[in-house]
Amino acid sequence: MKDKNNILRIIATDCGSTTTKAILIEKREGEYRLIVRGEAPTTVEAPYEDVTKGVLNAIKEVEELSEVIILDGDKILKRENNTDKDGVDVYISTSSAGGGLQMMVAGVVDRMSAESAARAALGAGAIVMDVIASNDKRMDHERIKRIRTLRPDMVLLSGGTDGGTKKHVVQLAEIIEAADPKPRFGSTYNLPIIYAGNKDARENVKESLDDKTDLYIVDNLRPTLESENLLPARDKIHDLFMEHVMAQAPGYKKLMEMTDVPIMPTPGAVGLLIETIAKRDNIEVLGVDIGGATTDIFSVFQLAFNRTVSANLGMSYSVSNVVKATGLKNITRWVPFETNEKDLRNRIRNKMIRPTTIPSTLEELQIEQAIAREALRLALEHHKAMAVGLKGVQTERTISDAFEQTSSGETLVNMETLNLVVGSGGVLSHAPRRVQAAMMAIDAFLPEGITMLAVDSIFMMPQLGVLSTVHDSAAAEVFSKDCLLKLGMCIAPMGKGKPGQEALKITIGEKVYTFNYGDIEFLDDIKSSERVRAILKPAKNLDIGNGKGKEMEIELEGGLVGVIVDTRGRRPFNLPENDSERIANLKRWYKSLNLYPEY
Amino acid sequence: MAHSYTPGLKVTENTIVRKERRLPLKGDVSAKKGDVIKADDIIARTELPGDVERLNFAGKLGVSGKEVFDYLKIEIGKEVKKDDIIAESKGFFGLFKTQIKSPIDGTIEALSEVTGMMTMRKPPLPVEVDGYINGVCVEVIENEGIIVESPATFIQGIFGIGGETKGIVKMVAQSPDYTMTIDDISDELIGKIIVGGSIITADVLNKCVEKGVIGVIVGGIDDKDLKDFLNEEIGVAITGNEEKGITLIITEGFGEMAMAKKTFNILKNNEGKIASINGATQIRAGVLRPELIVTHDDEIKSTGQRMVSEEEHEGMGIGSVVRIIREPEFGNIGKVSALPSPLQKIETEAMVRVLEVEFPDGRKILLPRANVELIEE
């Protein structure tokens, strides 16, 4: 691959399960920018069974739109010289087609090594199908049956600190051996298993698994109780994803030859980008991608990166599961009109069985956005439960902290210190009014204090994630200029007040704005991308980040939507139980933010 | 470009159906290419490895892991019967011996010196795959199964529960908008696949199970009734393994919806014939829809060659008949009267590709193209 300084043009694709998206990035007037985007249906399934067909089709669309020749037949045309008009310097790709990477993890203690193993797998971009632990209260034969029926793409086995007892982790290896698991794609190769446990047990694990599986040994991911070392396991997962999982999927061998760097699992690439941005700007970030089947959440809090996949929370295939998980009442609480339970249930089911349909009436849109709020809320709950404990790979904890984790499982997710929320996925990125995306994020995540809200304009975070591995500054430039659409800041004081009472005063220069408890409104006068210094003074029982009643001077930033002041309360945020009162409140809030055309 | 509309479910009186019949693990395939297969014929069989039993061998004997082999009475890999003595401690001067008896019939697979655990395996479980439909074996998938092909009537539903079954088609509804009642489910429907009209309730479904009806094909069901019938809420649209003793195929969707006339008439034409049905539905990846197949047995002949279906799949055009598959007007059928190409703003303010549909009463509406499905005439 060319030297970074000589890279002018980059083509990047993301092979999703239904659509393959291609973007063309080019350096113009000294900065890297997104030039055009193309897409085509993914061609992993029959009758095509060759992922490169979809990739070439998507790139062809880019060629037509950009008027740059990128393809030479079925090959990517490379720029040999800097004077070449056509061709690209780099081709990179991510993939989640064929169900992405599906893993099973095992560890000795569910809240310790098994949890660390799950974090490593999730961080690498996998869907964790099940976590087997010595103390998961299942009988051995139940665990064996589970391993056998799930057919994961690979297994990550961990457990035991280095030099500690080996018995339990060897027992897990024996359970895997007895299950004799087969990989998801055919029976022509052995299932890859990564062992990242007690180094003293390596020989015993080899004895159990070397013959029956394709065993790889990496450094212990929990070498001591108070340290976590996820990187070797994560890297090995990426390698094996390429070598085994992707190589089995139709057309991927060809695709792997086309790309300049290894193909990454889509969520792994998104995670990498979020991590890079958080580090670069020294901020805490929460990224969410809500799809038809799953919702992924990525976060960086206290420098620790975490990712979770809520495998059955989504807006089409999994929409009924959102109802199952949260209950119909929690969905209808966001709907500003009376609903009939039978009718609503049928509507949601019909969306599940015909997932490509779109809401065509305002009522349908409001119902869909109500479901999205609950899917996002539940996904965040799930993420909070998983993003706990160790404060990053480099930061060590004391033994007492480690035990505290097992008892309390305190989450790293802190909505008060969170700086940026990035939303993506159809329901957020394609909401007819941008303010609807902002409101869904606010209602679902309940950000506290001051938080910037943004959406990924065309979901190019995956491609930018891989790009960050070859050209970090190009990835960062495109991310902030073309990918991230800032909606505006949300200001939400914490605490409880009485409806109608003054909650917050904002002073900007000579002007003073007052906000009452129980409302949500725009802070007028801050236009798109404008930054202004402001003094925020909460009421004595409310806290904006400096303590109850304490004022704060801060630079406020607008966006496509504007600055939203949410004085509806936090800790707790409550909607009225009484239906007519609840509907009246929703209508008032929606009207105040001009959320829908009819209010 | 991707299709901007949902291709219709296949509902046809005459097509070539190909079904893959595959073992869950490799095994023996008895059918050969060119064989004429009956739906009940066993075409492949294998054995699934038996369930595993783990035994705390060292713990029961009160010895350390390293010593376990000293006490083992039966070699690793050997078969044992339940209650066979597999280990015995030495005891004191030959007294107070501890014995370990085999908890199962099976084989001793492994014994670990590290963990002191013994792994035993129960005898393998035989698995057989039948032909599912009458037809000709047109391809053998080595050690795994076959592809069986047949000219047939083929109806796809939109959602179903329950797995494969075979039985005689019996019309209970006399019109597509008929609503079945408990009184319709009589003793004579035992072993039958019945065709209802617009909707079925949990009570009627339970009565069907009670009377031994093996399959139901109906326009719609309320989600609440499905939940009541299954005693659980279906979260993700992956079905087929429900063990309720009945296979249910919904042709239109959730709620009260008259069965499409074409579907109803085809079913009526096949009354009294044997059908193979499967309620398995998987909407994500691969899209599996429930189905009913009535093979045209007099046309089945072994040529050793695959037959070619004569159907053509045309795109949507002016005059195409479509069904609306989302509120408002959900379930209504009309003809496409215009296909404007520029994106248009709809009530939600989203900019989407739209089409104009004209209903039989002359009324016309604009709606997103994504919200209709083509009905193949």
Side-chain angles (χ1 to χ4, degrees):
Chain A
M1 204 172 58
K2 275 188 180 170
D3 177 67
K4 248 163 79 166
N5 298 322
N6 290 325
I7 294 175
L8 172 79
R9 202 176 285 139
I10 301 152
I11 182 90
T13 54
D14 173 42
C15 312
S17 39
T18 48
T19 314
T20 298
K21 290 139 280 195
I23 56 169
L24 182 69
I25 293 166
E26 199 175 292
K27 194 174 186 178
R28 286 190 183 171
E29 291 166 16
E31 58 178 18
Y32 289 95
R33 296 299 297 261
L34 168 77
I35 305 302
V36 289
R37 171 184 189 268
E39 67 175 51
T42 297
T43 49
V44 172
E45 314 260 342
Y48 310 101
E49 292 184 341
D50 180 355
V51 72
T52 60
K53 288 202 162 69
V55 165
L56 295 172
N57 288 341
I59 295 177
K60 262 180 210 147
E61 196 167 303
V62 166
E63 270 188 329
E64 284 164 19
L65 294 168
S66 65
E67 295 178 357
V68 174
I69 299 168
I70 303 169
L71 294 174
D72 175 11
D74 285 356
K75 291 198 172 69
I76 304 281
L77 179 69
K78 287 291 172 65
R79 287 175 74 243
E80 298 296 331
N81 301 303
N82 276 347
T83 49
D84 289 355
K85 189 179 152 284
D86 290 314
V88 295
D89 300 295
V90 182
Y91 170 50
I92 50 179
S93 188
T94 56
S95 173
S96 60
L101 169 62
Q102 303 187 4
M103 285 185 69
M104 191 156 186
V105 303
V108 170
V109 183
D110 56 358
R111 299 291 287 160
M112 301 194 78
S113 55
E115 192 174 277
S116 293
R119 264 200 289 271
L122 287 161
I127 290 170
V128 175
M129 304 163 93
D130 199 358
V131 180
I132 304 271
S134 302
N135 65 335
D136 63 12
K137 297 198 174 79
R138 283 182 278 193
M139 304 291 286
D140 279 355
H141 70 266
E142 291 172 316
R143 296 186 184 120
I144 289 166
K145 204 166 190 171
R146 186 82 179 135
I147 298 170
R148 200 190 278 167
T149 46
L150 280 183
R151 302 188 78 154
D153 292 320
M154 64 179 91
V155 176
L156 173 61
L157 169 63
S158 68
T161 53
D162 282 343
T165 172
K166 338 191 259 191
K167 186 175 164 182
H168 300 295
V169 72
V170 174
Q171 214 158 13
L172 287 172
E174 287 172 5
I175 288 171
I176 296 172
E177 179 195 4
D180 193 11
K182 298 279 176 266
R184 188 159 57 109
F185 288 112
S187 44
T188 51
Y189 67 107
N190 282 337
L191 181 77
I193 295 194
I194 301 166
Y195 175 65
N198 182 357
K199 63 179 181 192
D200 293 353
R202 285 175 183 174
E203 283 309 311
N204 307 99
V205 171
K206 263 191 199 167
E207 260 172 50
S208 280
L209 297 174
D210 222 7
D211 288 345
K212 283 191 171 173
T213 67
D214 203 355
L215 181 68
Y216 296 86
I217 292 175
V218 298
D219 290 350
N220 193 350
L221 53 78
R222 202 76 190 251
T224 61
L225 267 187
E226 61 276 13
S227 67
E228 196 174 61
N229 178 23
L230 304 182
L231 212 57
R234 250 165 81 175
D235 286 347
K236 187 47 91 180
I237 294 169
H238 279 163
D239 293 349
L240 294 178
F241 174 70
M242 286 294 300
E243 290 166 23
H244 289 260
V245 185
M246 283 293 90
Q248 304 299 324
Y252 273 87
K253 275 191 185 138
K254 250 199 284 181
L255 186 64
M256 282 154 71
E257 283 167 17
M258 287 161 69
T259 59
D260 290 299
V261 291
I263 303 165
M264 278 179 92
T266 304
V270 175
L272 201 61
L273 183 73
I274 300 240
E275 216 176 345
T276 311
I277 301 302
K279 271 190 195 140
R280 187 197 65 179
D281 297 345
N282 192 23
I283 53 172
E284 294 194 333
V285 185
L286 187 77
V288 56
D289 174 25
I290 177 166
T294 62
T295 297
D296 277 36
I297 295 202
F298 310 84
S299 74
V300 179
F301 284 98
Q302 297 175 43
L303 303 174
F305 167 71
N306 274 287
R307 166 181 174 251
T308 48
V309 191
S310 297
N312 292 324
L313 293 176
M315 292 306 295
S316 58
Y317 308 110
S318 313
V319 69
S320 291
N321 205 55
V322 180
V323 182
K324 186 178 174 182
T326 189
L328 208 60
K329 205 167 168 236
N330 270 343
I331 289 172
T332 53
R333 70 189 172 132
W334 300 110
V335 178
F337 51 84
E338 300 267 1
T339 51
N340 167 307
E341 182 183 336
K342 189 173 96 171
D343 172 60
L344 189 58
R345 279 181 163 280
N346 288 340
R347 280 185 196 221
I348 294 170
R349 277 270 180 242
N350 283 320
K351 169 78 182 176
M352 175 187 86
I353 56 174
R354 291 184 166 105
T356 53
T357 60
I358 57 173
S360 65
T361 65
L362 203 54
E363 278 197 1
E364 288 260 305
L365 180 74
Q366 286 167 338
I367 291 170
E368 196 144 309
Q369 295 186 344
I371 299 169
R373 283 171 169 85
E374 284 303 301
L376 292 168
R377 185 182 67 81
L378 291 173
L380 181 64
E381 290 300 313
H382 178 199
H383 187 77
K384 279 180 179 171
M386 193 68 200
V388 292
L390 298 165
K391 297 173 181 67
V393 176
Q394 294 87 0
T395 319
E396 293 214 335
R397 306 175 350 144
T398 64
I399 289 188
S400 62
D401 282 340
F403 282 115
E404 197 178 274
Q405 173 199 341
T406 57
S407 57
S408 67
E410 206 170 300
T411 184
L412 293 173
V413 176
N414 183 343
M415 301 313 285
E416 190 185 335
T417 56
L418 174 66
N419 303 95
L420 172 67
V421 174
V422 188
S424 68
V427 72
L428 293 172
S429 297
H430 298 147
R433 292 187 183 187
R434 294 280 185 203
V435 65
Q436 291 163 358
M439 190 64 167
M440 279 185 266
I442 292 172
D443 285 343
F445 298 146
L446 298 172
E448 297 168 352
I450 293 137
T451 318
M452 174 56 84
L453 307 174
V455 289
D456 175 358
S457 60
I458 53 168
F459 197 50
M460 57 173 142
M461 284 199 284
Q463 293 100 321
L464 298 183
V466 198
L467 181 58
S468 72
T469 64
V470 285
H471 202 314
D472 50 353
S473 54
E477 270 176 39
V478 178
F479 178 73
S480 33
K481 296 207 171 79
D482 299 310
C483 169
L484 195 71
L485 292 180
K486 285 184 180 171
L487 302 177
M489 280 181 167
C490 171
I491 303 171
M494 295 159 278
K496 207 176 170 188
K498 281 196 179 140
Q501 273 187 352
E502 188 181 305
L504 182 70
K505 254 196 182 82
I506 299 179
T507 310
I508 300 172
E510 302 288 302
K511 280 190 178 172
V512 179
Y513 303 84
T514 307
F515 299 89
N516 291 338
Y517 190 85
D519 292 337
I520 183 164
E521 299 170 64
F522 285 118
L523 173 58
D524 294 335
D525 294 348
I526 299 188
K527 301 286 174 274
S528 174
S529 71
E530 196 180 4
R531 288 164 185 253
V532 290
R533 295 296 302 175
I535 297 167
L536 278 54
K537 169 84 176 138
K540 63 175 191 235
N541 50 337
L542 297 175
D543 178 3
I544 195 70
N546 276 351
K548 280 189 179 170
K550 300 253 171 69
E551 68 175 36
M552 177 190 272
E553 189 176 346
I554 191 167
E555 189 170 68
L556 295 177
E557 189 180 349
L560 293 171
V561 165
V563 174
I564 296 172
V565 182
D566 181 2
T567 44
R568 298 177 298 169
R570 293 288 190 273
R571 305 187 201 177
F573 164 84
N574 283 325
L575 284 166
E577 285 290 319
N578 173 293
D579 270 354
S580 54
E581 205 183 321
R582 176 184 58 80
I583 290 172
N585 270 2
L586 290 178
K587 284 187 169 168
R588 185 162 54 84
W589 296 335
Y590 295 175
K591 184 176 181 184
S592 158
L593 292 185
N594 196 19
L595 208 62
Y596 298 109
E598 75 177 24
Y599 301 115
Chain B
M1 284 295 292
H3 289 294
S4 56
Y5 61 92
T6 311
L9 299 167
K10 204 163 188 182
V11 176
T12 171
E13 206 138 15
N14 203 351
T15 188
I16 304 298
V17 170
R18 276 186 202 103
K19 287 277 131 192
E20 190 178 273
R21 309 297 296 157
R22 222 173 181 144
L23 290 165
L25 281 180
K26 285 193 174 182
D28 299 323
V29 179
S30 49
K32 290 187 290 300
K33 193 173 172 183
D35 282 0
V36 174
I37 307 287
K38 291 272 169 227
D40 290 327
D41 288 352
I42 302 301
I43 57 96
R45 41 171 64 84
T46 191
E47 288 184 334
L48 289 180
D51 281 341
V52 167
E53 188 92 15
R54 299 253 297 160
L55 197 66
N56 188 351
F57 191 91
K60 278 188 191 290
L61 290 173
V63 299
S64 74
K66 280 183 188 145
E67 298 170 274
V68 287
F69 280 96
D70 299 342
Y71 300 90
L72 187 65
K73 294 272 175 213
I74 294 174
E75 272 176 60
I76 302 292
K78 288 273 186 241
E79 275 186 34
V80 286
K81 292 272 169 226
K82 190 170 188 291
D83 293 332
D84 280 357
I85 294 167
I86 51 177
E88 194 172 62
S89 71
K90 295 184 179 79
F92 290 105
F93 308 107
L95 298 168
F96 310 112
K97 286 181 184 171
T98 305
Q99 290 182 333
I100 300 181
K101 290 180 179 173
S102 171
I104 56 162
D105 288 345
T107 44
I108 298 177
E109 197 164 271
L111 179 62
S112 168
E113 284 184 329
V114 180
T115 63
M117 298 291 288
M118 174 177 272
T119 305
M120 305 183 75
R121 196 176 290 276
K122 289 180 184 170
L125 304 164
V127 181
E128 294 177 334
V129 173
D130 68 11
Y132 177 52
I133 56 169
N134 297 339
V136 175
C137 169
V138 289
E139 189 182 326
V140 173
I141 308 159
E142 205 183 336
N143 300 328
E144 291 189 63
I146 63 165
I147 292 171
V148 56
E149 183 184 88
S150 181
T153 296
F154 183 62
I155 292 174
Q156 273 184 321
I158 188 78
F159 179 81
I161 58 161
E164 292 176 358
T165 186
K166 295 153 221 146
I168 291 171
V169 178
K170 170 81 186 156
M171 302 301 287
V172 170
Q174 291 312 314
S175 68
D177 57 357
Y178 180 77
T179 303
M180 278 195 294
T181 67
I182 285 185
D183 298 335
D184 289 325
I185 313 304
S186 61
D187 290 333
E188 67 186 44
L189 297 181
I190 184 167
K192 300 278 193 310
I193 294 167
I194 65 167
V195 180
S198 61
I199 192 163
I200 192 161
T201 61
D203 289 345
V204 177
L205 264 174
N206 282 320
K207 183 80 182 288
C208 287
V209 174
E210 189 192 312
K211 294 287 179 191
V213 174
I214 58 161
V216 176
I217 300 163
V218 67
I221 187 171
D222 275 332
D223 179 48
K224 173 92 174 42
D225 280 299
L226 182 68
K227 186 183 161 196
D228 290 348
F229 176 65
L230 292 173
N231 287 323
E232 63 167 337
E233 188 137 22
I234 290 179
V236 188
I238 299 174
T239 68
N241 291 322
E242 298 73 21
E243 288 178 355
K244 298 295 290 184
I246 197 161
T247 294
L248 171 69
I249 297 176
I250 302 297
T251 61
E252 313 303 309
F254 286 88
E256 184 168 352
M257 253 165 284
M259 186 182 288
K261 257 189 212 147
K262 183 180 174 188
T263 313
F264 188 83
N265 289 338
I266 292 178
L267 288 166
K268 205 170 171 183
N269 294 344
N270 283 282
E271 187 168 17
K273 293 182 184 165
I274 292 179
S276 302
I277 59 169
N278 189 356
T281 309
Q282 191 170 339
I283 293 162
R284 201 182 170 188
V287 193
L288 180 68
R289 295 288 189 185
E291 63 189 13
L292 172 140
I293 301 164
V294 179
T295 51
H296 300 167
D297 294 349
D298 48 349
E299 296 170 33
I300 295 173
K301 46 185 179 286
S302 172
T303 60
Q305 297 295 316
R306 282 178 177 233
M307 285 178 260
V308 180
S309 174
E310 286 169 7
E311 299 143 44
E312 277 178 33
H313 293 279
E314 284 181 17
M316 188 162 38
I318 305 288
S320 294
V321 179
V322 292
R323 184 203 325 256
I324 297 167
I325 53 173
R326 181 134 185 181
E327 297 289 348
E329 307 279 354
F330 185 22
N332 289 342
I333 290 172
K335 275 191 177 158
V336 176
S337 50
L339 283 162
S341 50
L343 299 179
Q344 293 209 14
K345 194 185 254 190
I346 56 172
E347 185 187 318
T348 62
E349 299 184 319
M351 297 293 289
V352 296
R353 295 190 81 191
V354 297
L355 52 68
E356 188 186 69
V357 172
E358 184 176 352
F359 295 113
D361 62 4
R363 201 163 45 93
K364 289 181 178 176
I365 62 161
L366 267 185
L367 75 168
R369 289 192 193 184
N371 291 358
V372 300
E373 70 184 10
L374 205 55
I375 294 185
E376 291 167 26
E377 285 293 279

